[in-house]
Amino acid sequence: MVRKLVLSLIAILGAGALFVGAQNRQVSGTVSGPDGAPVVGATVMVDGTLIGTTSGANGSFSLSAPADGSLTVSFIGYESKTVAIAGKTHIDIALAEDTQAIDDVIVVAFGTARKEAFTGSAKMIQSDDLIKTQSSNVQDALVGKVSGVQFASESGRPGSGQKIYVRGYGSMSAQNTPLWVVDGVPYEGDVNNINAADIESISVLKDAASNALYGARGANGVIMVTTKRAKVGDAVVSFDGKWGLNTRALRTYDIADNAGEYYEMHYKALYNYYTLDQGYDPAAANIAANQLLTSNIAGGLGYNVMTVPEGQNLIGTNGRLNPLATEGRLVDYNGQQYLLKPDNWLDEIYKTSFRQEYNVSVSGATDRSNFYASLGYLDNTGIIDGSSNERYTARLRADYQAKKWLKIGGNMSYTHFVWNNGNKTNDDGESQGEGNADGGNAFATAVRMAPIYPVYMRDGNGNIMIDKYGMKLYDTGDGRNGGALRSNGGVSNDLQNIQLNRYINEGNAMMAGGFLDFNLYKGLKLTLNGNVALDETRGTEVQNPFYGQFASSGGAVFKSHARDIAYNLQQLLSYSETFADKHNVDLLVGHEMYNRKQYSLYGSKTVMFSPDNFELSGATVDSSRSGSSVLEYNNEGYFFRAQYNYDEKYFVSGSYRRDASSRFHPDHRWGNFWSAGAAWLISKEGFMDGTKGWLNMLKLKVSYGSQGNDNLGTKAETYFRYADYYSIESDGNGGVTSVLQQKGNPDITWETNSNLNVGIEFGFWNDRLRGGIDFFNRKTSDMLFQLATPVEAGYTSIWTNIGDMVNRGVEIELGADLIRTKNLVWDFSVNMTHYKNKLVKLPDQYKNNTTADGRHVGRQTSSRFYTEGESIFSFYLPTYAGVEEKTGKSMWYTYRTSEKTGELERVTTTDYSTASAEGRELQGDALPDLYGGFNTSLRFYGVDLSIGFTYQIGGQVLDQGYQAYMASPGGTSTGFNYHRDLLKSWSEDNKGSNIPRFAYGDPNQNGTSSRFLTDASFLNIQNITLGYTLPQRITRKFLVEKLRVYLACDNVWYWSQRQGLDPRQSIGGISNPYYYAPIRTFSGGLSVTF
Amino acid sequence: MKMNQIIKFTAVLLGSAVVFAGCIEETFPESGYATGGQIAESPFAQDGVLSAMPTILITNYVDIEEHFDFGYPGMLGAMDRLAGEVFPVSGNLPGGNQYYDRWQAYLYPCNLDGLDANGYVAPFFYKNYYQFVYAANEAITLFSQNEDSAQNLGVAKAFRAFFYLDMARLYDPLPAKAAVGSYDVSAVAGLTVPIAREGMTMEELENNPRATREEMFTFIFEDLDAAEKLMADYTPATRNLPSLAVVYGLKARAYLWLGGFDEQYAAIPTGEAAYRKAAEYARKAIVASGAPITSEAQWLDKTTGFNTVISSWMWAMIQSTDTVLNNLLSWTAHMSPDAIWGYGNGAQPGISVFSYNRIAATDFRKKIFVGPDRNYAAISPYTNLTAAEFEGEDAMAPIAPFTSFKFHTNGGEKRNYSLGNVTSIPLMRVEEMYLIEAEATAHYDAAAARPLLQSFMATRAAGYSIPAGNDLVEEIIFQKRIEFWGEGIILHDLKRLNMSMQNGKSGTNAPSMAQISTDGRAPWWNCVIPLSAVQQNKALSGKNNPNATYTYKSVK
């Protein structure tokens, strides 16, 4: 506004002054953008004069100018344009969008860098891409967008987010999570509390030159979030609303899906047991298997939900279901009628749910001040009962150039959140809840349950029965339902548990920050930043008083409160100057400190007054488990950075940072980190003049440096790995004692990551084709290593700094504007990464074991073998050798010493425990050969369409879901669903099968082996967005600048090597179907700008 | 630079220097934990190190992610299941579920590979014992520095001997037969476990071979002899610390074990010589403890039975509300069918029908087992369950025949786990000494042994007489099995005497996957050192006991 006034004033004055000059005439016209929409506030200047004006409400302008002069029109975000007046009195000027203006700046540590001057490797993602994703978690929006970055999501639970690995695993024992920095401040809160709609951009910094100033904690990459500021111009009010549906995106394995089919399969297992194991003839086996099939005797299923004519068997001698069998069976039990009828457990647990989100923001700026405010509301219901997320967000960001030498600013955000998790999560790693095959995890129950078991109890008429509390009666498999006894899942029904139990986290997260910028002297600036982040979370777990584990205790309430407060102070002194027009110097010294305190308070009670009263005071018996604690973390660093370029052609940069962390002993807490980088803009060289027609940019860059990692974990003990750590206990006699929990090592210090990055960047045909290639070598040395100690020491590990590991690879990013015309724009971008992980050095204590083939020394840890020269993601499993043709049993390879030669020879065995103990071999790597994403977008008049894909080629995944479905039943462990591949298993008339015999009581036929390693390749449609922007000539009538309606779908579909397998769960190659399934969201929305 | 700019600059620099000064400070835990430094400075340092030993027994957690992972009580439960003495009987009635018994790897060694060297529960014993040993070694180090701590030093040595004695018995690979495949221990015969003493360096520990039986018992007796001297005038403040009588009791256990061997060792008696020592020390323990034998009333009390320290308990684990880990990580939650909140009510740990049938009708110890007819009236004096609860109301399973009501919840509490789980658990009862004395004597003087058993049994079964034709030692062991059912000590006796498991016999009430009969001792009674330990101690390479799982097949 001020700028407009000033310019208008200048224009009027100028016009007045020049009026005397007589040759001037009045020129008027309009300024419009590439889409024909008027551009408001554009500056129109008469060349060579001070005469100028700004375009008005409908893009129109009028000024006095010489008839032979020319006008230059400029506006932020558009390319400036000069037009000759040539005697005309009316001139319409169309501005082209300046695509480079936004793309050319990268947010880096403590400031920004121009892309061409940048010597490191980073990727910037703009808000347009971020808001496409309909997730509360902005991490989801990054998936597939950045080369060199891998994402994994175990659970689809709203809010569970992504695990992010920048250039592979940096550490074996310490954390691998990147550092999040929000508006320049380290952020350790929940990423879900940041509203994606408030984000202007996200930079992912990958190499040393980019990360070094976060040296201390930047070893695993830095993700920099920059929230929105207003753009100069008229105030903008925008509203965005979207409404959508969530559905289950996980595909189901090819499993038995009806009772008849399942009975046939289980019958086959029993029949094979009787014929193969017990020597029955087929007729006798048919009778015996039919008798056992639905009985309560070990091997039986306990439920018969089929009706067959009196005296007939359920399964005929041909192994097929009696054609007269019908689903559902009426039974009389204890004087009451029950209808036993199977339910589809997956259909019962997963449902379609509703999602809505609204965001409003107001922003405006003048040349001295900038103001942005927003409000957001999200209501996202999960795809299982009891799972939902409600979030309110607010943000206010403003700055003001108070004096020529002083600029002040503030940035505040507030989030209120309520998370209902539905099922027990497994965040604390207590091997209960999500991800576990049992232990009260409804997902596992639904995935594994045979399709013969009812979820509900039904009366004789088939109606679901109601209990004395007015709730649906669930079948708990304990005999109440017509006397039937389920042979799996305990006497409980986890689907009922998710209805009745509660897992709630609710709270408030606030961030408040301010800065002061002092312009001290030409180019010399002092910045003081201060920031506080406060996160208060109240946790409630309710175990219902009606059914299950806590029913006998009258229900239980567990309460916790966590207060997490962090503050960050920064003092930055920077100097930037150009000498002799060619020497550009940029210097920065700074100091930063970060302190975080986590307070917690908890207690629990049993015997609840009412199932709806979730408070401790509403329960009566104290569980004697209350407590409180404080956990503190300190980090402090001093740093220096110098950047220099000559004529914007040759660039060098260097930085140094010295950091201390309270996670280490005072004697070992300081670490030194540094980086150096250089770039050469070849395309600016004189000798490249000849290529200007097609090559507009070519840059070579190299950087090297080191960063640290002190992140040993999030649990309290991980903050004291340097000290002997004891738990304080009662001695049982009124006194206090302490018991060792962890042996400390005072010598541990920073883990160091050395990063080499060599890359080229290029742009052809005015950037119609652009991209870059980076080679990286990321070496972790002095790895923070949880070194297993001799068990006899009395503790199992100490932390050390031993071991080196390398992640080496290449990243390619390409972008192309396939079509770029006024009304049709089509672009395409792709990124791909290939890298390998290698253990370079292991501690000597890890060389006491030798692989079964005698080739490698190292250490086995469950299904891996750590050995120098191999990937940490190599599987170490028995190698499946197919089926023994005669017996139908699984075979594996094992090693034994040959009696003839005295050397190890590889032989087959049908004994899994032998193969497991003596025959394991290094299988392939879980890491893919290539992974990445590709995106395309199309704009045609007002219609826009974009599609984002992610993909992975190669790598191996242990398909645990398939393994579970392929298991033979044994003991009383029956009633789990079967994969249809079992129909192709070995039998007398199918001896060539590669699938072992399917017989009850065969232990370990399906032991974990290479048989269940599957190609981990996948292709995934991450997002599709289709939008339509109404022509402004229509919307203007309603005072609307822009109105866009759109449809979007997230997590659309994926293809993997086996239906049901989801290799996206972990980069280590383990798939686990017992998690909350990923969610597909389909929604429509509306965004309006005033 | 203009003057005012210089002033501004200086002012700002000075201002920021104040913030610069906020230098990093060391942090300390303010929670349920403390660092070694904090503990050394605390006023409880000395006492704390002493009481750490009994405390770690009941609070240790070795992270095998199973609900029986609650220290030594969990190990006692595992040992009884390995022996086949305790198993869940609930599966014998509709609605019952054998899998409520969480010690599955120990119950079903023929069907699960959890006990293999790389099995998930293999570290349970091994890790626990060496963590206990660590606490004892720390105490020995501290108390050796101060003459005033001589008695405490004795206590620490007694604890350490107790831990090694258990390990020596569990890991010594004695010959056993396999029905499936082969099982051969000859390559590692006579090897126990590595000895970790106070003050050993990491280098020593990283190459620390399994001690021979002789070395191990020499070491154990060094500790016990020292304890005997140091504790001559010592009376423990609470029964969770050993007394001199307990040291005698430990010696009796050690000599009894050695009695089973024929090998001759220079410093360590075996065979009859050892049995004689065992009898001698058992008697010493009886005298020194002055403990009366548990009475019928004490045994059968449904409020305090086997959950409260009584005078016959020479040594015990004593829990407080703070040391109970949670609703399920607790002895009572697993072992008492009165604990409706726990696994005990669901699994119903019970006795073998064959043992039950052999108990004399007049033996009061028989009363705490549910009879084959499931007569509630007969069991109701010994259970806190109501008739409806006994029959399985509200989704509970009905109580099956042969369920044991030996262990009770604190105060007979059925629903409030925070109260009910706070119980004490016996470590050594005087009755064991009587039976050791009788058995040890029987090995060399049957005539002298008979009255010993006879007089002990007089306190148990009116009119008891040693059944004619029964092997005397076998009869004593049978009475020990009944006396100590569920207390986790019988495995060592069965292993020593090469006795067979018989749960696979026709008419068994064992759960389907635990119906196992062996020919002599079971291979899985020779515990396997976990792979995690083998890999970190060079001297263990190639020196582990053979894997024993799948060496038999359960009948069903």
Side-chain angles (χ1 to χ4, degrees), chain A residues 38-71:
Chain A
V39 174
V40 183
T43 307
V44 185
M45 296 292 288
V46 181
D47 287 346
T49 72
L50 286 172
I51 300 170
T53 184
T54 55
S55 58
N58 40 16
S60 62
F61 68 90
S62 172
L63 47 56
S64 169
D68 57 349
S70 60
L71 299 177

Side-chain angles (χ1 to χ4, degrees), chain A residues 426-432 434-439 715, chain B residues 61-70 102-104 120-124 127 329 334 343:
Chain A
N426 189 24
D427 293 340
D428 49 9
E430 273 181 353
S431 71
Q432 272 189 302
E434 249 192 299
N436 288 285
D438 56 13
K715 291 190 169 178
Chain B
Y61 178 73
V62 293
D63 222 0
I64 52 171
E65 301 189 334
E66 254 301 354
H67 276 155
F68 60 77
D69 188 4
F70 47 85
R102 296 312 303 170
W103 284 277
Q104 285 170 18
Y120 74 107
V121 298
F124 184 50
K127 258 182 156 176
L329 285 166
H334 293 255
Y343 290 112

Side-chain angles (χ1 to χ4, degrees), chain B residues 507-524:
Chain B
T508 183
N509 60 333
S512 48
M513 296 206 295
Q515 298 181 355
I516 305 160
S517 288
T518 62
D519 180 5
R521 66 175 69 86
W524 47 89

Side-chain angles (χ1 to χ4, degrees), chain A residues 214-229:
Chain A
Y214 290 107
R217 297 195 279 157
N220 291 309
V222 179
I223 298 178
M224 305 205 50
V225 175
T226 307
T227 60
K228 282 182 177 158
R229 292 179 78 236

Side-chain angles (χ1 to χ4, degrees), chain A residues 639-658:
Chain A
F639 46 88
F640 169 75
R641 176 175 68 195
Q643 289 171 313
Y644 167 80
N645 75 66
Y646 175 76
D647 201 18
E648 308 212 318
K649 212 188 281 179
Y650 309 104
F651 304 85
V652 290
S653 67
S655 71
Y656 167 78
R657 177 160 171 150
R658 181 167 168 78

Side-chain angles (χ1 to χ4, degrees), chain A residues 966-1029:
Chain A
M966 292 297 285
S968 304
T972 54
S973 176
T974 60
F976 297 110
N977 212 342
Y978 298 130
H979 198 281
R980 287 183 177 138
D981 278 359
L982 284 170
L983 298 171
K984 294 180 261 175
S985 59
W986 180 95
S987 64
E988 287 293 341
D989 39 18
N990 182 22
K991 290 197 164 181
S993 176
N994 197 35
I995 298 169
R997 66 186 219 178
F998 175 47
Y1000 170 74
D1002 270 357
N1004 284 331
Q1005 282 301 300
N1006 297 279
T1008 307
S1009 73
S1010 63
R1011 179 180 157 205
F1012 299 104
L1013 287 177
T1014 307
D1015 184 335
S1017 302
F1018 69 81
L1019 175 65
N1020 170 40
I1021 307 178
Q1022 185 73 15
N1023 175 281
I1024 300 178
T1025 305
L1026 175 65
Y1028 177 63
T1029 306

